[in-house]
Coordinates of all heavy atoms in Angstrom, one line a residue:
Y7 N 90.9 111.8 85.9 CA 91.8 110.9 85.2 C 93.2 111.0 85.8 O 93.7 112.1 86.1 CB 91.8 111.3 83.7 CG 92.8 110.4 82.9 CD1 92.5 109.1 82.7 CD2 93.9 111.0 82.2 CE1 93.4 108.3 81.9 CE2 94.7 110.2 81.4 CZ 94.5 108.9 81.3 OH 95.3 108.1 80.6
P9 N 96.8 110.3 84.6 CA 97.6 110.0 83.4 C 98.8 109.2 83.7 O 99.3 108.5 82.8 CB 98.0 111.4 82.9 CG 98.0 112.2 84.2 CD 96.9 111.7 85.0
R177 N 105.2 103.1 80.4 CA 104.4 103.3 79.2 C 103.7 104.6 79.1 O 103.7 105.3 78.1 CB 103.3 102.2 79.2 CG 102.3 102.3 78.1 CD 101.4 101.1 78.0 NE 100.5 101.0 79.1 CZ 99.4 101.7 79.3 NH1 99.0 102.6 78.4 NH2 98.6 101.5 80.4
T178 N 103.1 105.1 80.2 CA 102.3 106.3 80.2 C 103.3 107.5 80.0 O 102.9 108.5 79.2 CB 101.5 106.5 81.5 OG1 102.4 106.5 82.6 CG2 100.4 105.5 81.6
Q179 N 104.4 107.5 80.6 CA 105.4 108.7 80.5 C 106.0 108.7 79.1 O 106.2 109.7 78.5 CB 106.5 108.6 81.5 CG 106.0 108.9 82.9 CD 107.1 108.8 84.0 OE1 107.6 109.9 84.3 NE2 107.4 107.7 84.4
R180 N 106.2 107.5 78.5 CA 106.8 107.4 77.2 C 105.7 108.0 76.2 O 106.1 108.7 75.2 CB 107.1 106.0 76.8 CG 107.9 105.8 75.5 CD 108.1 104.3 75.2 NE 108.9 103.7 76.2 CZ 110.2 103.6 76.3 NH1 110.9 104.3 75.3 NH2 110.9 103.0 77.2
Q181 N 104.5 107.6 76.3 CA 103.4 108.1 75.4 C 103.3 109.6 75.5 O 103.1 110.3 74.5 CB 102.1 107.4 75.8 CG 102.0 105.9 75.4 CD 100.7 105.3 75.9 OE1 100.0 105.8 76.7 NE2 100.4 104.1 75.3
H182 N 103.3 110.1 76.7 CA 103.2 111.6 76.9 C 104.3 112.3 76.2 O 104.0 113.3 75.5 CB 103.1 111.9 78.4 CG 102.8 113.3 78.7 ND1 101.5 113.8 78.9 CD2 103.5 114.5 78.7 CE1 101.4 115.1 79.0 NE2 102.7 115.5 78.9
L183 N 105.5 111.9 76.4 CA 106.6 112.6 75.7 C 106.5 112.5 74.2 O 106.7 113.5 73.5 CB 108.0 111.9 76.2 CG 109.2 112.6 75.5 CD1 109.4 114.0 76.0 CD2 110.5 111.8 75.9
S184 N 106.1 111.3 73.7 CA 105.9 111.2 72.3 C 104.8 112.1 71.7 O 105.0 112.7 70.7 CB 105.5 109.7 72.0 OG 105.2 109.5 70.6
Q185 N 103.7 112.3 72.5 CA 102.6 113.0 72.0 C 102.7 114.5 72.3 O 102.2 115.4 71.5 CB 101.3 112.5 72.7 CG 100.9 111.1 72.2 CD 99.8 110.5 73.1 OE1 99.2 111.2 73.9 NE2 99.5 109.3 72.9
H186 N 103.4 114.9 73.4 CA 103.4 116.3 73.8 C 104.8 116.9 73.8 O 105.0 118.2 74.0 CB 102.8 116.5 75.1 CG 101.4 116.0 75.2 ND1 100.3 116.7 74.8 CD2 100.9 114.8 75.7 CE1 99.2 116.0 74.9 NE2 99.5 114.9 75.5
G187 N 105.9 116.1 73.6 CA 107.2 116.7 73.5 C 107.9 117.1 74.8 O 108.9 117.8 74.8
V188 N 107.2 116.8 75.9 CA 107.8 117.2 77.2 C 107.5 116.0 78.2 O 106.4 115.4 78.1 CB 107.1 118.5 77.7 CG1 105.6 118.4 77.9 CG2 107.8 119.0 79.0
P189 N 108.4 115.8 79.2 CA 108.1 114.7 80.1 C 106.8 115.1 81.0 O 106.7 116.2 81.4 CB 109.3 114.7 81.0 CG 110.4 115.3 80.2 CD 109.8 116.3 79.3
M190 N 106.0 114.1 81.1 CA 104.7 114.3 81.8 C 104.8 115.0 83.1 O 104.1 116.0 83.4 CB 104.0 112.9 82.0 CG 102.6 113.1 82.7 SD 102.1 111.5 83.4 CE 101.8 110.5 81.9
L191 N 105.6 114.5 84.0 CA 105.7 115.0 85.4 C 106.4 116.3 85.5 O 106.3 117.0 86.5 CB 106.2 113.9 86.3 CG 105.3 112.7 86.6 CD1 106.0 111.7 87.5 CD2 103.9 113.1 87.1
L192 N 107.3 116.6 84.5 CA 107.9 117.9 84.5 C 106.8 119.0 84.1 O 106.7 120.0 84.8 CB 109.0 117.9 83.4 CG 109.8 119.2 83.3 CD1 110.5 119.6 84.6 CD2 110.8 119.2 82.2
E193 N 106.0 118.6 83.1 CA 104.9 119.5 82.7 C 103.9 119.7 83.9 O 103.4 120.8 84.2 CB 104.2 119.0 81.5 CG 103.1 119.9 81.0 CD 102.5 119.4 79.7 OE1 102.8 118.3 79.3 OE2 101.6 120.1 79.1
Y194 N 103.6 118.5 84.5 CA 102.7 118.5 85.6 C 103.1 119.4 86.8 O 102.4 120.2 87.3 CB 102.4 117.1 86.1 CG 101.4 117.0 87.2 CD1 100.1 117.4 87.1 CD2 101.8 116.7 88.5 CE1 99.2 117.3 88.1 CE2 100.9 116.6 89.6 CZ 99.6 117.0 89.4 OH 98.7 116.9 90.4
E196 N 105.2 122.0 86.6 CA 105.1 123.4 86.2 C 103.6 123.9 86.4 O 103.4 125.0 86.8 CB 105.6 123.5 84.8 CG 107.1 123.3 84.7 CD 107.6 123.2 83.2 OE1 106.7 123.1 82.3 OE2 108.8 123.2 83.0
H288 N 111.8 110.2 78.9 CA 110.4 110.3 79.3 C 110.2 110.2 80.8 O 109.1 110.6 81.3 CB 109.6 109.2 78.6 CG 110.0 107.8 78.8 ND1 111.2 107.4 78.2 CD2 109.5 106.8 79.5 CE1 111.4 106.1 78.6 NE2 110.4 105.7 79.3

Side-chain angles (χ1 to χ4, degrees):
Y7 181 63
R177 174 175 64 82
T178 57
Q179 290 181 97
R180 189 184 298 274
Q181 287 175 344
H182 189 92
L183 181 65
S184 174
Q185 293 171 5
H186 302 281
V188 61
M190 177 199 295
L191 291 180
L192 182 62
E193 181 178 8
Y194 179 68
E196 291 169 352
H288 55 289

